[in-house]
Each structure stands twice: as structure tokens, then as C-alpha cells.
Amino acid sequence: MLRDIDPILSPDLLYALRAMGHGDEIVLADANFPGESLGPTCIRADGSTASEVLQAVLSVMPLDIYVPDPALTMQVVGDPDAIPEAVADFQNIIKKTADNPAQIQTLERFAFYERAATAFAIVQTGERRLYGNIILKKGVIG
């Protein structure tokens, strides 16, 4: 055990977060996301929701302040302006926890998959809410 480190942050996830550099991206994905097949290392967090993992990740990882979109979610197919429950929850967590409380931006479904395929890692959560996926771009600590 470590002091002041959320226990949701497994050794593999802590390693990935620490190994990432400025501008690298990590995907927090729901249970339906094709995390294992996209290519990047897939870290399993089946017993946690994406919101729980987001809260834990943002407690230790800065969001990039040099880009307009350090947090990206997937657009709802057929209704790109819809805000799914999970995404609304993500925005609240970012506002409360992130050092750079950015506004979430969105990507079309297949563009999201393409971006996720270039991420440093994918964290496959047990999130069951639809569209419970977010890409985070790591910032720097001054």
C-alpha cells in the first residue's frame, strides 16, 4: 500500500501513467470497448467504473494545457450533440479533480477508435454505461 494513492491505481496502471510523457494519451474505456484488439497495451480494471478510474487517474496525472482538447469522448452515433450520462459524469470529475479543468471535446466513433489505437495504453474498465470512454492527454508538472 502507498499513502495518498488511490487503490484503484494498480501497479500496471501506475507504471503506465509514470512512463507516459507529455502529450502521450491514455484511454479509459467501458466494458464494450475493443481494448484488447486495438493495439496499445490493455490494462484491465474490470471491477471499477470509468468514472472511478478517471477520478483516480486525475488525482496523479496532469492534463495537457497546451492543446484545446486534452479530454475527448466518443460522439453518440446518430446524435453527435447528445451528452451521455457517463460523459456528463466525466465532465463533473474533470471540473472537480483536474489541474486543468478542460471542457470535454468529442470525436466521431471511428475517429475515436483511430485515436485510441495510437494511445500509450488503454484501461479497460467494467463501465456498463454506453459511451463511457475518454481519451486523456498527459500534461506537464511545472
Side-chain angles (χ1 to χ4, degrees):
M1 295 295 292
L2 298 171
R3 245 183 256 147
D4 300 324
I5 300 289
D6 192 312
I8 287 175
L9 298 173
S10 68
D12 290 339
L13 181 48
L14 281 171
Y15 173 81
L17 292 170
R18 180 61 181 97
M20 290 170 63
H22 174 231
D24 280 341
E25 295 180 331
I26 190 164
V27 180
L28 310 182
D30 64 28
N32 291 302
F33 195 80
E36 296 282 349
S37 64
L38 281 182
T41 299
C42 187
I43 300 165
R44 303 300 299 202
D46 298 287
S48 301
T49 68
S51 292
E52 291 168 334
V53 174
L54 176 62
Q55 175 80 35
V57 166
L58 291 178
S59 74
V60 297
M61 188 190 90
L63 285 179
D64 197 331
I65 62 171
Y66 299 109
V67 296
D69 57 353
L72 292 161
T73 57
M74 184 186 295
Q75 292 174 352
V76 173
V77 175
D79 190 1
D81 295 325
I83 301 173
E85 177 188 341
V87 174
D89 196 27
F90 294 164
Q91 187 64 70
N92 286 331
I93 292 167
I94 289 170
K95 284 180 185 175
K96 292 178 191 171
T97 308
D99 58 332
N100 173 30
Q103 184 67 36
I104 293 173
Q105 303 300 313
T106 64
L107 287 173
E108 181 274 332
R109 176 183 172 209
F110 292 106
F112 188 94
Y113 290 144
E114 287 175 19
R115 183 83 167 252
T118 67
F120 187 88
I122 296 172
V123 181
Q124 186 89 53
T125 73
E127 180 63 64
R128 297 177 83 180
R129 294 176 294 181
L130 297 179
Y131 297 97
N133 308 298
I134 188 166
I135 299 172
L136 304 173
K137 185 178 288 286
K138 186 178 183 181
V140 297
I141 297 175

